[in-house]
């Protein structure tokens, strides 16, 4: 029995799919104007774990993700430039080249993080007819209105507009009275754009399509409503994203989708918390972000970052530091070392594994994806195997850990008997230099770092030797 926290109700609920044993899952994808930063990637790891847990629990999952390649302005509301067009000017490439380049980069990043690609990857520019059709339905229901500049959704006409965010609309409207609004015909600041016309500030917009309201392009929010229902129907089971989507993007999705067809959009709404750096939200606009390539250039395996993400619950903020990533790398290397020992261990008497190990693991994950507790169960098993080796058949333990990794996604099956990692060899060489100079304090610190990664240093008259920790 899987329990998931539903942002819509603010409580954990027993998951019950609309169709028996089948799950429709929609995840908000990237806006492909730049590389995804590791804060974005944390959200995609959470969504990957969700998908894996559902499959582990016996469900067949249809996973759909959009690719935003038009219409996302530099503000999440309706102000500023189109992010992709701005980047195209900056890099002196076409908008299509920018979108394709960063889509490819995103897919490369998720592959390196062992994130399973969605069954359907849907670029917004490939689904313009569906978006136009949805806007037409909103006109028929009198939720949409037109100005010389754009088509908007009238939020005051939609009952319970803020039920996802739990904000008070009156307070939001009062606080927005002094906002600068570029369209004087907009009824109130919180009405959001469904379609931008190719006039005024967007008269030279490169991406544009014909519509009943004139040549133009869709607003950011409409694509997710159109794409999700095109592939999953309405309602579908689970809609996910980052917590930054709650107040604006997902609130607007619900309004336009439910306004058009008088049915809920999704039954469960799930959101991943921020990755922080120096206790502040990581983001491109703030200029305080790392990409996956940044971590690789610093010598980290991308899966060390995945491991770090798993150490925190997806609904908890996670403060990123190189020290915490280093600790995650050491833990992952220790896990890999243990897997290698199991793979090449001699077969012993076949002893059945206690079922409590699997129960502990499943209990953690089925309780709203509690990956920290799931990892703790893994390490308790490893500790017990090390302490009482005669109790365990290595092959049985290996099979169980491979099964767990179907959810954790740490690549345990790909672990091979390998040489001492280059990083560990460099540390050992550096330590030997300190020993020769009798700088014992510095040498001891490096020994601890090597030990933390699952290796032991034996000092002999002929020098130091490395071996895997038992």
């Amino acid at each position: 029995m899987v329990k998931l926290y539903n942002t819509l109700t603010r409580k954990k609920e027993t998951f019950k799919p609309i169709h028996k044993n089948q799950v429709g899952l929609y995840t908000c994808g990237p806006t492909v104007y730049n590389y995804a930063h590791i804060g974005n990637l944390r959200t995609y790891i959470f969504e990957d774990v969700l998908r894996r847990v559902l499959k582990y629990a016996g469900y067949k999952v249809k996973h759909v993700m959009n690719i935003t390649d038009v219409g996302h302005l530099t503000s999440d509301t309706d102000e500023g430039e189109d992010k992709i067009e701005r980047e195209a000017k900056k890099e002196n490439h076409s908008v299509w080249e920018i979108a394709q380049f960063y889509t490819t980069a995103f897919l490369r990043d998720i592959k390196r993080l062992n994130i399973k690609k969605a069954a359907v990857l849907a670029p917004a520019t490939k689904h313009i007819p569906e978006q136009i059709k949805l806007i037409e339905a909103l006109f028929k229901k009198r939720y949409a209105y037109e100005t010389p500049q754009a088509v908007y959704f009238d939020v005051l006409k939609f009952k319970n507009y803020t039920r996802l965010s739990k904000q008070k609309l009156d307070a939001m409207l009062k606080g927005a009275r002094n906002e600068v609004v570029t369209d004087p015909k907009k009824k109130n600041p919180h009405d959001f754009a469904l379609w931008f016309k190719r006039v005024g500030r967007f008269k030279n917009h490169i991406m544009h399509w014909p519509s009943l309201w004139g040549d133009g392009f869709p607003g950011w929010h409409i694509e997710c409503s159109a794409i999700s229902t095109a592939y999953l129907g309405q309602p579908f089971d689970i809609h996910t994203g980052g917590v930054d989507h709650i107040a604006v993007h997902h609130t607007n999705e619900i309004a336009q989708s439910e306004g058009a067809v008088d049915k809920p959009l999704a039954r469960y709404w799930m959101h991943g918390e921020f990755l922080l750096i120096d206790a502040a939200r990581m983001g491109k606009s703030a200029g305080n972000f790392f990409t996956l390539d940044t971590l690789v250039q610093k010598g980290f395996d991308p899966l060390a970052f995945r491991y770090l993400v798993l150490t925190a619950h997806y609904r908890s903020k996670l403060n990123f530091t190189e020290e915490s990533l280093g600790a995650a790398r050491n833990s992952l290397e220790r896990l890999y070392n243990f897997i290698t020992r199991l793979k090449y261990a001699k077969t012993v008497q076949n002893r059945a594994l206690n079922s409590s190990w699997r129960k502990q693991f499943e209990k953690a994950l089925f309780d709203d994806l509690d990956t920290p507790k799931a990892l703790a169960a893994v390490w308790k098993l490893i500790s017990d195997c090390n302490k009482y080796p005669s109790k365990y058949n290595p092959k049985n333990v290996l099979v169980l850990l491979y099964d767990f990794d179907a959810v954790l996604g740490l690549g345990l099956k790909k672990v091979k008997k390998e040489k001492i990692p280059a990083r560990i060899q460099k540390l050992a060489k550096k330590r030997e230099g300190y020993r020769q100079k009798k700088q014992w304090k510095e040498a001891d610190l490096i020994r601890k770092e090597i030990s933390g990664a699952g290796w032991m240093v034996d000092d002999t008259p002929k020098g130091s030797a490395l071996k895997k920790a038992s």
Side-chain angles (χ1 to χ4, degrees):
M1 183 173 65
V2 178
K3 289 189 175 182
L4 301 174
Y5 183 85
N6 190 347
T7 307
L8 197 61
T9 60
R10 298 299 196 272
K11 63 182 181 181
K12 288 183 191 178
E13 299 177 10
T14 299
F15 177 67
K16 295 179 181 178
I18 296 169
H19 303 290
K20 187 178 180 180
N21 298 326
Q22 295 184 358
V23 180
L25 170 64
Y26 183 81
T27 60
C28 283
T31 300
V32 285
Y33 73 103
N34 205 329
Y35 296 103
H37 61 63
I38 59 174
N40 304 139
L41 294 172
R42 183 197 180 188
T43 299
Y44 298 123
I45 291 172
F46 136 61
E47 293 163 342
D48 183 61
V49 170
L50 169 63
R51 172 179 168 175
R52 288 168 177 265
V53 166
L54 291 169
K55 185 176 180 182
Y56 192 84
Y59 295 108
K60 184 178 180 181
V61 182
K62 184 175 182 180
H63 181 192
V64 178
M65 175 186 284
N66 69 307
I67 300 289
T68 300
D69 54 357
V70 67
H72 193 169
L73 306 187
T74 49
S75 165
D76 282 355
T77 53
D78 298 328
E79 308 305 315
E81 303 173 80
D82 184 299
K83 290 183 176 183
I84 293 175
E85 291 215 349
R86 186 184 66 170
E87 194 65 25
K89 293 173 187 174
K90 182 179 174 181
E91 297 190 24
N92 197 27
H93 287 289
S94 75
V95 289
W96 308 104
E97 289 171 334
I98 290 295
Q100 184 57 58
F101 178 85
Y102 288 114
T103 297
T104 301
F106 169 73
L107 293 176
R108 183 178 68 246
D109 282 347
I110 64 171
K111 184 177 181 180
R112 290 189 290 178
L113 288 166
N114 213 6
I115 296 170
K116 294 180 180 293
K117 188 170 71 172
V120 178
L121 279 173
T125 53
K126 300 294 184 183
H127 296 80
I128 299 299
E130 292 92 336
Q131 295 174 68
I132 289 174
K133 184 178 179 181
L134 182 54
I135 297 170
E136 290 174 351
L138 289 170
F139 267 105
K140 290 178 182 178
K141 293 293 185 71
R142 297 185 180 180
Y143 285 112
Y145 67 92
E146 185 179 2
T147 77
Q149 293 187 29
V151 174
Y152 295 101
F153 185 97
D154 190 339
V155 301
L156 293 182
K157 288 188 176 180
F158 186 76
K159 189 178 180 180
N160 296 326
Y161 171 68
T162 62
R163 72 177 181 276
L164 181 69
S165 67
K166 303 295 191 257
Q167 295 174 302
K168 293 183 178 180
L169 185 57
D170 288 344
M172 289 173 63
L173 294 174
K174 184 178 180 181
R177 283 175 185 166
N178 294 324
E179 289 183 11
V180 176
V181 179
T182 55
D183 188 344
K185 298 294 184 179
K186 195 175 181 179
K187 291 183 179 180
N188 73 74
H190 282 285
D191 291 350
F192 57 91
L194 301 169
W195 187 264
F196 291 106
K197 298 181 182 181
R198 202 163 177 250
V199 297
R201 61 186 172 132
F202 294 125
K203 66 180 179 180
N204 297 316
H205 200 275
I206 298 168
M207 292 179 169
H208 57 93
W209 296 264
S211 78
L212 294 173
W213 321 285
D215 223 28
F217 62 98
W220 174 39
H221 314 295
I222 196 72
E223 68 179 86
C224 284
S225 290
I227 290 170
S228 62
T229 55
Y231 291 100
L232 298 174
Q234 186 175 339
F236 56 89
D237 293 297
I238 306 174
H239 194 310
T240 68
V243 291
D244 51 321
H245 286 160
I246 296 172
V248 179
H249 185 47
H250 288 171
T251 288
N252 291 348
E253 276 189 65
I254 289 172
Q256 63 200 8
S257 294
E258 296 187 9
V261 298
D262 297 320
K263 294 180 181 179
L265 178 57
R267 295 178 67 185
Y268 301 85
W269 289 79
M270 299 179 66
H271 296 89
E273 256 292 0
F274 291 130
L275 183 73
L276 307 178
I277 182 166
D278 297 327
R281 175 188 169 187
M282 184 179 294
K284 296 186 183 79
S285 59
N288 66 339
F289 68 94
F290 291 108
T291 64
L292 195 59
D293 278 338
T294 307
L295 304 188
V296 171
Q297 289 163 12
K298 289 176 178 287
F300 293 99
D301 185 327
L303 291 182
F305 177 67
R306 184 181 177 102
Y307 187 98
L308 175 63
V309 169
L310 297 179
T311 65
H313 193 276
Y314 78 91
R315 287 193 289 114
S316 299
K317 292 182 176 68
L318 173 60
N319 194 44
F320 173 83
T321 65
E322 284 196 37
E323 290 76 15
S324 63
L325 184 57
R329 173 176 61 188
N330 289 343
S331 294
L332 185 61
E333 288 179 353
R334 286 173 54 213
L335 179 56
Y336 285 172
N337 290 342
F338 183 75
I339 292 296
T340 302
R341 284 174 44 216
L342 292 178
K343 289 179 77 170
Y344 296 97
K346 293 181 180 179
T347 303
V348 297
Q349 182 181 358
N350 190 12
R351 295 177 180 270
L353 271 174
N354 190 314
S355 62
S356 67
W357 296 115
R358 184 183 296 278
K359 289 178 181 177
Q360 287 180 54
F361 185 79
E362 290 183 355
K363 182 180 179 181
L365 289 173
F366 291 177
D367 184 14
D368 195 33
L369 319 181
D370 197 333
T371 54
K373 286 186 178 179
L375 282 176
V378 169
W379 285 110
K380 284 179 184 177
L381 171 59
I382 292 173
S383 176
D384 209 56
C385 286
N386 287 331
K387 193 173 182 180
Y388 307 107
S390 62
K391 287 173 51 180
Y392 295 94
N393 182 306
K395 302 305 179 186
N396 291 344
V397 177
L398 193 62
V399 169
L400 183 62
L401 290 176
Y402 283 165
D403 188 54
F404 290 173
D405 199 46
V407 175
L408 300 176
L410 295 172
L412 299 188
K413 282 189 176 181
K414 295 181 179 179
V415 174
K416 298 177 181 178
K417 192 171 186 179
E418 58 184 2
K419 297 178 181 178
I420 300 168
R423 183 177 75 87
I424 301 300
Q425 293 184 49
K426 287 180 182 178
L427 286 172
K429 186 176 180 180
K430 186 177 180 181
R431 178 180 177 275
E432 185 61 26
Y434 283 132
R435 288 184 72 244
Q436 295 296 329
K437 297 175 184 177
K438 297 185 178 181
Q439 293 176 278
W440 311 119
K441 183 178 180 180
E442 290 82 356
D444 191 50
L445 287 173
I446 293 180
R447 175 194 281 275
K448 289 179 180 178
E449 186 174 353
I450 292 172
S451 176
W455 294 85
M456 292 179 65
V457 184
D458 281 341
D459 294 323
T460 69
K462 294 182 180 180
S464 300
L466 287 164
K467 66 177 182 179
K468 287 182 177 177
S470 59

